[in-house]
Amino acid sequence: MKKLINSLLLACLLLAASACSDKESYADLLRDENHAVNAFLVNYPVITSVPADSVFVSTADILADPDFIAEFGPECADEAELREVAINHTPFYRIDDDGYLYMQVIDPGKGARATDDQTIWFRFTRYNLKYAYEYGTWEASGNEQDVASTPTSFRFRNTSLALTTAWGTGIQTPLEFLPLNCHVRMVIKSYLGPTQEISSVYPFLYNIRYYPSKI
């Protein structure tokens, strides 16, 4: 009987150890997040600092470059394909020293800049980069196609409101550099993402446009 009990205890310990080894630590999740982000960014030019004059190279700039059109235009079937090629040549800029946020400017926009406490509406599509890295799954979510069904907004720099903090600080960072009506893509790691998702440690690629409130 004693041998049986000892055998059962050993089996339980082995099962517990196996269960613990199957569960990733927070450090493991952060490592996986970095791997997923790096695997995505390796496909693009990456500039590791913000331009001193805050003038970013954009997809719009690349499409206006005659040399780019001469080189890649004949290889593309239409304007949509040429635009995709231009996006692939548009750099991602590392916005912060810790590498939590990278920004690619599609269209820098024109006109007024956001002001403190201003209501900003935005449309977005986002993709979970960890899923893309581990499973090759690019599933889109967001309100870009139907903003009426899921209106999204924040109050610029007003971190006292849950409306603003719920989306995390990363989502409004482009407006520190660009006018309203800009169009960017951002890689946002979990630390700067929506507050309810930080513990999941999922990095996302956002495709996002900003608009001032009409009220």
Side-chain angles (χ1 to χ4, degrees):
M1 178 64 72
K2 187 175 181 180
K3 287 184 178 180
L4 178 60
I5 292 174
N6 288 338
S7 296
L8 290 173
L9 286 173
L10 179 60
C12 290
L13 288 172
L14 290 173
L15 285 172
S18 176
C20 288
S21 64
D22 289 340
K23 186 176 181 180
E24 287 189 302
S25 67
Y26 185 64
D28 292 331
L29 294 173
L30 291 175
R31 177 204 61 206
D32 294 344
E33 180 180 50
N34 286 332
H35 287 170
V37 168
N38 291 339
F40 173 76
L41 290 176
V42 75
N43 299 298
Y44 297 87
V46 175
I47 297 175
T48 58
S49 61
V50 173
D53 55 4
S54 295
V55 177
F56 298 85
V57 175
S58 69
T59 302
D61 295 329
I62 292 173
L63 286 171
D65 183 354
D67 292 335
F68 173 83
I69 300 300
E71 181 176 357
F72 295 100
E75 302 175 4
C76 297
D78 51 32
E79 290 186 6
E81 184 177 349
L82 182 62
R83 185 174 183 275
E84 286 302 312
V85 174
I87 289 174
N88 290 338
H89 283 75
T90 306
F92 273 90
Y93 292 85
R94 190 180 70 188
I95 301 301
D96 64 311
D97 292 337
D98 296 312
Y100 293 131
L101 181 66
Y102 292 82
M103 181 174 72
Q104 182 189 48
V105 181
I106 306 301
D107 188 329
K110 296 179 180 179
R113 301 283 288 270
T115 57
D116 288 355
D117 205 36
Q118 182 177 2
T119 298
I120 307 297
W121 295 89
F122 62 98
R123 296 188 183 189
F124 73 97
T125 300
R126 71 175 189 170
Y127 305 85
N128 187 318
L129 291 179
K130 185 175 182 180
Y131 286 176
Y133 175 63
E134 295 182 351
Y135 309 112
T137 302
W138 288 89
E139 293 186 2
S141 61
N143 70 338
E144 189 170 14
Q145 301 304 319
D146 187 10
V147 70
S149 65
T150 313
T152 48
S153 66
F154 56 80
R155 298 269 285 277
F156 187 55
R157 293 177 180 159
N158 188 338
T159 56
S160 65
L161 295 178
L163 173 69
T164 297
T165 58
W167 289 101
T169 57
I171 203 78
Q172 60 177 293
T173 300
L175 298 182
E176 299 285 352
F177 306 99
L178 300 170
L180 292 165
N181 302 306
C182 62
H183 176 195
V184 302
R185 296 205 306 170
M186 288 186 292
V187 172
I188 302 180
K189 290 185 179 179
S190 55
Y191 183 75
L192 296 183
T195 52
Q196 292 184 340
E197 299 176 0
I198 290 176
S199 61
S200 299
V201 198
Y202 291 144
F204 281 91
L205 170 67
Y206 280 80
N207 182 55
I208 186 166
R209 295 173 172 85
Y210 301 90
Y211 306 92
S213 173
K214 300 299 183 182
I215 299 176

